[in-house]
């Protein structure tokens, strides 16, 4: 296992092995077979070290309860007094013997840097760092000078040596330059990092970093970008941005973004003063976009008035100006980007977030765009007409709704825009569109009708649902109501007019469960068709939990529980991942049985708000116009909250000034999800979950 990575898996009770390899500027890992695993519920490996004898030492916390499922700190199963340390060695192989470093002088310690055992090299450097500088520096200098120039490990020896110079803050430019020219990219990458650390004591450090930022290996370029952030001058950003001339990956993109922020106090004033220039306009646009604020507006305006810009640069600058500019800027952009879908999208988003529309008469420009032969432009023009309340365009947009030969994407956008433009006067056209054969148009019409006349929308949905032949048809009809504050109440009122078919009830409950929505009135209607011996929603009590837990351990059938877990009515797979299968809205359950006692599993399933895992606290946003978003907050600032909506699965940007209420909704898992199960089915489901120990399948036979 030398050269592998070991991780203490305290949750799943195993020691994981990973093989790793270079991936661009970073690494990627591949899972190997576990080094060690246990079925004992208290085995909790929390740390791993290699000892001076070469053995692997594992610190075992030894506790059946861990904090990641918010069990009470006073839980009686917490073990406050025990702990173990495991030592893992190779059978039939003698243990290693580390030298006594305390008896060595500086020259002898330097010789230890040749060792092929990292432990020895590491300890030797620590000792050299503790020795007086006037002993260490001459010794390490002699050692470097006497190294064999033909030694295949020469570059690694030089790497170890420069670390000793670093520890004593002694700049060694010749050694640094040797490493910067090394054949091994790892040596060049580390030397680049050192150049950033020593920049204040090096002549022309940016010349060094400029060469590294153009290195053939991504790791060296990454280190050069980070090193530039140490050099607080405007020119440092110019050098770092040169990385954009070469292939970019996620590691380099992140480093460049952070460096742009770190150096903003230096390069931004210089750009405004005209004292520096980026080599490529796209480089400047990138850093402006990553650090945009109000002070950026005038600079972007100035750039757009310049000459020699590429079309792509102009588009990017206009999109940035749409995000931060004034109503006059928006009018200017619209007049010049009327055939550019990407810039029009930026206008739509900026208008929605900032509640801003162009000054002047934009209707004429939109009118021409609506007639464009470019369908993408046409759709966006229709959307902008609704956002900006371009009343004069209501008539042509109404004609589009009724022109059945038009593409569905155009007509569906026209339906929603018409509702925004003329409100109640659009109801007849919207109702007709609800019955359109194109699913895209039907759903857009239902979304619009939910805003215009929620009761009427629910009545139409009732009829459509009773004809729905599959999950897709049910989703299409129900989804628009999930995004309205009173949508599910209205749907419940419509459905109670006559009994609901059991198959339809299962489909609707499965959809609601998959997006974490619960409505008491609707749930009562849908559960009324269930069997008579169902569990329902029992009141929480410790005796009930203990009795059920005992039955799970004694009589539970994990195989049958697996089948129940996969049923459409529960929709567990839609939110939770087991192994490589399932969704990501809820916590992964691959090893839930290894980390959570049966009693807590029962609580989490029957009364989900009692057991909310860290990182899965959902948020519900209600807007002033009655729209609802539930999910996990992705990012937020003073202008917007970006939430991953549980209904669509997409990131939704909600303007801060349009949010009426914001609530921490606890868990997305709705109460009563298992209410339609019989006691036996519930017992088997819990048994299946309690047997998930990390492999993605139920397995009670895993032992040391």
């Amino acid at each position: 296992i030398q050269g592998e990575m070991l991780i203490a898996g305290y949750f799943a009770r195993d020691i994981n092995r990973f093989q790793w390899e270079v991936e661009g500027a970073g690494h990627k890992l591949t899972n190997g077979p576990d080094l060690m695993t246990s079925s004992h519920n208290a085995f909790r490996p929390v740390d791993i070290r290699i000892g001076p004898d070469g053995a692997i030492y594992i610190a075992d916390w030894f506790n059946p309860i861990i904090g990641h499922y918010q069990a009470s700190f006073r839980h009686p199963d917490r073990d406050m007094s025990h702990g173990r340390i495991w030592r893992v060695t190779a059978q039939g192989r003698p243990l290693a013997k580390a030298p006594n470093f305390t008896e060595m002088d500086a020259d002898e310690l330097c010789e230890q840097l040749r060792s092929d055992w990292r432990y020895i090299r590491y300890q030797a450097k620590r000792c050299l760092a503790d020795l007086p500088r006037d002993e260490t520096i001459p010794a390490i200098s002699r050692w470097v000078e006497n190294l064999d120039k033909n030694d295949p490990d020469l570059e690694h020896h030089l790497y170890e040596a420069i670390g000793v110079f670093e520890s004593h803050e002694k700049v060694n430019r010749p050694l640094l330059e040797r490493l910067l020219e090394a054949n091994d990219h790892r040596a060049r990458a580390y030397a680049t990092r050192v150049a950033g650390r020593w920049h204040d004591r090096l002549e022309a450090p940016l010349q060094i970093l400029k060469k590294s930022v153009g290195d053939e290996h991504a790791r060296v370029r990454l280190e050069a970008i980070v090193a530039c952030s140490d050099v607080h001058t405007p020119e440092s950003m110019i050098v770092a941005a040169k990385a954009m001339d070469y292939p970019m990956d996620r590691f380099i993109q992140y480093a460049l973004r952070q460096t742009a922020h770190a150096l903003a106090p230096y390069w931004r004033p210089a750009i405004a003063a005209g004292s520096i220039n980026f080599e490529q306009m796209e480089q400047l646009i990138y850093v402006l976009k990553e650090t945009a604020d109000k002070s950026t507006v005038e600079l972007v305006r100035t750039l757009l008035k310049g000459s020699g810009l590429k079309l792509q640069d102009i588009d990017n600058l206009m999109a940035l100006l749409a995000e931060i500019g004034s109503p006059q800027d928006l009018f200017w952009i619209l007049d010049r980007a009327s055939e550019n879908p990407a810039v029009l999208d930026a206008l739509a988003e900026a208008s929605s977030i900032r509640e801003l529309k162009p000054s002047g008469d934009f209707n004429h420009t939109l009118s021409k765009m609506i007639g464009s032969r470019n369908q993408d432009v046409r759709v966006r023009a229709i959307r902008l007409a609704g956002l900006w309340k371009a009343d004069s365009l209501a008539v042509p947009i109404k004609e589009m709704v009724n022109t059945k030969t038009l593409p569905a994407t155009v007509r569906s956008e026209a339906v929603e825009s018409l509702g925004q433009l003329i409100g109640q006067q659009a109801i007849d056209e919207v109702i007709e569109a609800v019955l359109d054969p194109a699913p895209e148009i039907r759903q857009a019409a239902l979304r619009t009708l939910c805003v215009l006349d929620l009761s009427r929308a629910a009545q139409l949905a009732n009829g459509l649902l009773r004809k729905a032949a599959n999950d897709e048809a049910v989703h299409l009809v129900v989804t628009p109501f999930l995004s309205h504050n009173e949508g599910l109440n209205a749907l419940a009122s419509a459905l109670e007019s006559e009994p609901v078919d059991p198959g339809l009830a299962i489909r609707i409950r499965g959809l609601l469960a998959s997006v974490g929505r619960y409505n008491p009135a609707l749930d009562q209607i849908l559960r009324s068709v269930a069997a008579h011996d169902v569990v329902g929603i029992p009141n929480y009590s410790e005796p009930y939990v203990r009795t059920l837990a005992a039955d799970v351990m004694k009589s539970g059938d994990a195989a049958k529980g697996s089948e129940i877990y996969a049923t459409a009515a529960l929709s567990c797979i839609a939110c939770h991942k087991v192994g490589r299968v399932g969704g990501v809205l809820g916590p992964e359950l691959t090893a839930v049985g290894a980390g959570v006692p049966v009693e807590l599993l029962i609580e989490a399933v029957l009364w989900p708000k009692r057991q909310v895992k860290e990182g899965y606290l959902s948020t519900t946003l209600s807007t002033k116009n009655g729209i609802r978003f539930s999910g996990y907050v992705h990012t937020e600032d003073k202008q917007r909250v970006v939430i991953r909506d549980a209904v669509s699965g997409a990131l939704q940007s909600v303007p801060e000034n349009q949010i009426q209420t914001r609530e921490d909704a606890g868990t997305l898992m709705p109460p009563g999800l298992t209410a339609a199960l019989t006691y036996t089915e519930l017992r088997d489901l819990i048994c299946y979950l309690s047997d998930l120990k990390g492999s993605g399948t139920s397995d009670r036979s895993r032992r040391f």
Side-chain angles (χ1 to χ4, degrees):
I1 61 174
Q2 290 186 6
E4 295 184 350
M5 184 180 294
L6 301 182
I7 294 179
Y10 64 88
F11 184 74
R13 303 195 295 256
D14 48 26
I15 305 297
N16 307 125
R17 290 171 57 191
F18 295 94
Q19 290 80 38
W20 59 277
E21 58 185 299
V22 172
E23 182 181 49
H27 300 90
K28 68 177 181 179
L29 300 179
T30 303
N31 287 69
D34 290 341
L35 174 70
M36 186 176 181
T37 187
S38 173
S39 59
H40 194 283
N41 71 344
F43 178 60
R44 302 293 178 188
V46 292
D47 199 8
I48 304 176
R49 288 289 185 270
I50 303 296
D53 56 359
I56 298 171
Y57 288 82
I58 301 167
D60 177 5
W61 183 29
F62 196 78
N63 205 320
I65 298 292
I66 56 176
H68 282 64
Y69 270 79
Q70 295 186 335
S72 168
F73 287 114
R74 296 172 298 281
H75 196 288
D77 287 348
R78 288 190 183 274
D79 191 320
M80 303 292 188
S81 56
H82 295 90
R84 301 183 290 194
I85 295 178
W86 299 79
R87 185 176 72 174
V88 182
T89 63
Q91 289 185 349
R93 187 182 304 170
L95 294 173
K97 289 186 177 181
N100 188 345
F101 300 100
T102 61
E103 296 180 353
M104 297 181 183
D105 61 21
D107 289 303
E108 292 171 317
L109 286 169
C110 289
E111 281 301 311
Q112 301 303 313
L113 300 180
R114 299 177 189 269
S115 174
D116 59 359
W117 186 6
R118 182 178 180 274
Y119 175 86
I120 289 180
R121 300 194 306 272
Y122 175 73
Q123 297 296 342
K125 285 197 291 186
R126 289 189 64 178
C127 291
L128 285 166
D130 289 338
L131 288 178
R133 189 182 194 194
D134 58 3
E135 292 182 28
T136 301
I137 298 304
I140 192 66
S141 299
R142 288 192 297 271
W143 186 74
V144 169
E145 186 177 345
N146 293 327
L147 287 172
D148 182 357
K149 304 299 186 292
N150 297 316
D151 188 335
D153 293 324
L154 175 63
E155 290 179 353
H156 194 278
H157 297 335
L158 296 178
Y159 153 77
E160 297 288 0
I162 203 168
V164 178
F165 283 98
E166 280 187 279
S167 68
H168 285 278
E169 291 294 347
K170 174 63 176 176
V171 174
N172 187 329
R173 176 116 190 190
L175 177 56
L176 176 65
E177 290 176 346
R178 287 180 69 180
L179 283 168
L180 286 167
E181 298 294 333
N183 293 320
D184 193 317
H185 74 271
R186 295 171 296 180
R188 299 197 304 275
Y190 189 77
T192 300
R193 183 184 298 186
V194 175
R197 293 172 175 170
W198 286 352
H199 73 89
D200 57 331
R201 287 155 288 170
L202 291 173
E203 183 180 350
L206 288 179
Q207 288 301 314
I208 296 174
L209 299 181
K210 186 175 182 179
K211 183 176 181 180
S212 292
V213 89
D215 194 275
E216 64 181 8
H217 199 281
R219 180 76 54 74
V220 183
R221 299 199 295 274
L222 172 71
E223 292 288 354
I225 294 169
V226 176
C228 282
S229 69
D230 289 329
V231 187
H232 294 170
T233 66
E235 292 75 18
S236 300
M237 193 67 244
I238 304 291
V239 173
K242 284 181 61 63
M244 295 178 64
D245 295 340
Y246 304 91
M248 302 267 284
D249 61 19
R250 59 192 175 97
F251 306 103
I252 290 178
Q253 288 174 346
Y254 180 82
L256 187 57
R257 180 164 58 249
Q258 298 305 312
T259 295
H261 280 282
L263 294 176
Y266 308 97
W267 64 262
R268 286 176 68 92
I271 288 290
S275 58
I276 61 168
N277 290 298
F278 283 76
E279 293 186 4
Q280 301 290 335
M281 179 57 68
E282 64 178 336
Q283 298 170 359
L284 173 57
I285 294 172
Y286 177 88
V287 297
L288 283 173
K289 187 172 183 179
E290 292 298 330
T291 61
D293 58 21
K294 292 181 180 180
S295 65
T296 312
V297 175
E298 193 57 45
L299 181 56
V300 174
R301 289 172 183 159
T302 302
L303 291 170
L304 281 168
K305 292 176 183 177
S307 59
L309 293 176
K310 300 177 185 177
L311 289 177
Q312 187 61 48
D313 293 338
I314 294 173
D315 292 347
N316 290 335
L317 283 170
M318 286 197 294
L320 177 56
L321 187 59
E323 184 176 337
I324 60 178
S326 66
Q328 291 78 14
D329 292 320
L330 268 58
F331 185 83
W332 185 88
I333 293 168
L334 179 67
D335 192 47
R336 288 159 178 77
S338 57
E339 290 294 322
N340 191 316
V343 178
L344 296 176
D345 280 338
L347 277 173
E349 182 177 4
S351 298
S352 176
I353 294 296
R354 303 170 64 202
E355 293 187 329
L356 203 65
K357 63 181 180 181
S359 60
D361 182 13
F362 53 80
N363 291 270
H364 178 67
T365 304
L366 283 181
S367 179
K368 290 192 299 183
M369 292 165 59
I370 286 174
S372 173
R373 293 184 179 181
N374 184 326
Q375 185 171 310
D376 290 334
V377 170
R378 200 174 195 183
V379 166
R380 285 157 177 81
I382 295 170
R383 183 179 305 152
L384 288 171
L387 280 172
W388 293 342
K389 305 296 183 185
D391 298 340
S392 64
L393 300 179
V395 172
I397 289 176
K398 184 176 181 178
E399 290 177 0
M400 292 179 184
V401 173
N402 296 322
T403 304
K404 301 188 184 300
T405 56
L406 288 175
T409 52
V410 174
R411 290 184 62 214
S412 62
E413 196 68 57
V415 168
E416 296 197 64
S417 182
L418 187 65
Q420 291 174 304
L421 288 171
I422 62 175
Q424 295 292 323
Q425 299 175 45
I427 282 184
D428 289 343
E429 284 75 16
V430 174
I431 289 175
E432 184 176 347
V434 170
L435 305 176
D436 195 276
E440 189 175 353
I441 296 174
R442 291 204 306 275
Q443 192 166 68
L446 272 175
R447 278 197 302 268
T448 305
L449 193 57
C450 280
V451 175
L452 299 178
D453 190 335
L454 182 58
S455 177
R456 190 71 176 273
Q459 292 170 14
L460 288 172
N462 179 35
L464 293 171
L465 284 172
R466 296 181 190 279
K467 298 175 183 177
N470 51 44
D471 289 344
E472 184 179 355
V474 170
H475 283 218
L476 186 146
V477 175
V478 175
T479 298
F481 293 87
L482 298 174
S483 299
H484 195 286
N485 283 334
E486 295 297 322
L488 293 183
N489 284 329
L491 196 57
S493 297
L495 285 172
E496 69 179 354
S497 60
E498 57 182 294
V500 178
D501 178 80
L504 175 61
I506 288 175
R507 288 192 174 105
I508 296 176
R509 292 187 79 238
L511 170 60
L512 296 179
S514 69
V515 298
R517 292 295 299 277
Y518 173 74
N519 180 273
L522 185 56
D523 188 67
Q524 182 62 37
I525 293 170
L526 299 177
R527 279 202 289 118
S528 64
V529 298
H532 294 297
D533 58 343
V534 297
V535 173
I537 308 179
N539 293 324
Y540 172 76
S541 74
E542 290 187 9
Y544 180 90
V545 172
R546 287 197 299 269
T547 300
L548 179 55
D551 285 350
V552 167
M553 301 304 294
K554 179 181 179 181
S555 308
D557 189 323
K560 290 182 179 178
S562 174
E563 296 174 0
I564 296 166
Y565 175 87
T567 58
L570 294 186
S571 284
C572 302
I573 293 175
C575 294
H576 299 281
K577 179 178 286 187
V578 174
R580 297 183 178 181
V581 179
V584 296
L585 281 176
E588 183 174 343
L589 301 181
T590 304
V592 69
V596 182
V598 176
E599 292 82 0
L600 293 187
L601 277 175
I602 293 171
E603 290 187 24
V605 170
L606 289 178
W607 308 283
K609 288 191 176 182
R610 290 182 61 86
Q611 300 292 337
V612 182
K613 189 181 188 299
E614 292 92 334
Y616 290 92
L617 183 67
S618 67
T619 298
T620 296
L621 304 177
S622 296
T623 65
K624 295 175 182 177
N625 59 356
I627 304 302
R628 173 190 176 110
F629 300 96
S630 289
Y632 303 119
V633 173
H634 185 260
T635 58
E636 60 181 306
D637 54 32
K638 294 180 180 179
Q639 286 189 315
R640 77 206 79 186
V641 176
V642 180
I643 187 170
R644 185 168 295 281
D645 183 36
V647 175
S648 64
L651 292 175
Q652 299 286 350
S653 187
V654 186
E656 182 68 39
N657 56 15
Q658 293 181 19
I659 297 174
Q660 187 171 45
T661 62
R662 174 175 179 166
E663 299 175 358
D664 288 332
T667 173
L668 281 176
M669 182 174 171
L673 189 60
T674 58
L677 298 181
T678 65
Y679 181 86
T680 300
E681 289 171 333
L682 176 63
R683 178 201 67 193
D684 292 343
L685 172 65
I686 300 297
C687 182
Y688 166 69
L689 295 174
S690 69
D691 262 10
L692 291 174
K693 303 294 174 60
S695 64
T697 58
S698 176
D699 182 1
R700 293 188 175 187
S701 62
R702 302 175 74 186
R703 294 291 186 272
F704 284 121

